[in-house]
Amino acid sequence: MSTDVFVMDEAVAWQDLGDGVRRKILGHNDAMMMVRVEFETGAIGPLHRHPHVQCAVVEKGSFDVTIEGRTQRLGVGDGYMVPSNALHGVVALEPGTLLDIFTPPREDFLA
């Protein structure tokens, strides 16, 4: 199942993930998924890995992003790419938003 080719942000509900993190799935098809994730100051996207390839851009705020033991401070307009099964996570240094793209889609997000 896929979403429409156009996504209206205000039409998509937030999902509260707890601990100062929430997300909204903006769109997906058989090949990819687009997800907006908001973080409160100090909120953590814990280190994890998954088979999906992921890229993200910082829409708001700043984050310390760690990928396979390498940490970089990123701000608005900066981005990162996570290879399949790479250990990665983020820490929000201030209120912030990431726009994540996954391929293939994160079926676990749709469950």
Side-chain angles (χ1 to χ4, degrees), residues 71-93:
T71 301
Q72 180 70 48
R73 185 156 293 172
L74 300 179
V76 174
D78 296 334
Y80 58 92
M81 299 183 71
V82 181
S84 178
N85 292 310
L87 186 64
H88 63 286
V90 302
V91 177
L93 304 174

Side-chain angles (χ1 to χ4, degrees), residues 9-26:
D9 181 71
E10 66 274 0
V12 181
W14 287 101
Q15 300 170 346
D16 185 358
L17 303 180
D19 298 320
V21 182
R22 65 184 190 158
R23 75 172 170 230
K24 58 170 66 181
I25 298 170
L26 297 175

